[in-house]
Amino acid sequence: QVQLVESGGGLVEAGGSLRLSCVASGRSRSSYAMGWFRQAPGKEREFVAAITNRDGSTKYAVPVKSRFTISRDNAKNTVYLQMDSLKPEDTAMYYCADQGTYSLAYFSSGSYEYWGQGTQVTVSS
C-alpha cells in the first residue's frame, strides 16, 4: 500500500512560481515512476510530468516543458514539482501519483495505481 500527500498549492499571479511537494510512503519496489497530473473543471485529467524511481529520468508534457521541473529527494521520500512562469491555463487540481507496478507508459494516468488527494493551483491573470 502506497500513501501520497501533496502540498504547496495556492493562488499566484501569472508569471509567478510555486513548488509542489509529494511525500510518499510504502512505495512498491516494482514501481517504475512517480508522476504529477492535473485536472481542471470539466476537463480530463492530464499528464504533467514524471520521474523514474530507479535513475531519475524525467518526462514532461509539452505545455509545461521548460517551465516545470520534476525532481526527487530520496532521503525525504519526496517528489517535487517546481512550477515557474505560471499561466492561467495551469489552473487545476494537481495530483501526485505512484504507479505501484512496473509500466513504461508512465505518461498515462491509467498506469498509476496510487493517488494523492490533490492540491489546488490557481493562477490569476
Side-chain angles (χ1 to χ4, degrees):
Q1 182 67 44
V2 174
Q3 295 177 324
L4 306 171
V5 180
E6 306 102 328
S7 63
L11 173 64
V12 298
E13 295 184 352
S17 299
L18 285 173
R19 188 175 76 157
L20 307 183
S21 299
C22 174
V23 179
S25 62
R27 285 172 289 179
S28 171
R29 293 174 59 189
S30 63
S31 178
Y32 184 68
M34 294 186 66
W36 288 95
F37 292 77
R38 66 187 183 187
Q39 186 169 24
K43 299 181 66 177
E44 296 290 324
R45 186 170 298 185
E46 65 177 358
F47 171 75
V48 176
I51 185 167
T52 65
N53 293 317
R54 178 170 292 276
D55 61 10
S57 297
T58 59
K59 180 167 290 186
Y60 299 92
V62 171
V64 308
K65 283 184 177 178
S66 79
R67 298 191 298 118
F68 291 9
T69 303
I70 188 171
S71 62
R72 65 178 184 178
D73 186 334
N74 290 335
K76 297 181 178 180
N77 295 318
T78 302
V79 175
Y80 303 96
L81 184 68
Q82 177 67 43
M83 305 184 294
D84 299 319
S85 301
L86 283 162
K87 304 175 180 179
E89 49 263 48
D90 294 318
T91 296
M93 184 72 74
Y94 283 70
Y95 298 91
C96 177
D98 188 296
Q99 287 187 307
T101 59
Y102 180 87
S103 175
L104 294 177
Y106 53 86
F107 53 87
S108 173
S109 62
S111 74
Y112 290 81
E113 182 176 358
Y114 303 103
W115 297 82
Q117 67 176 18
T119 184
Q120 179 68 39
V121 172
T122 302
V123 184
S124 62
S125 60

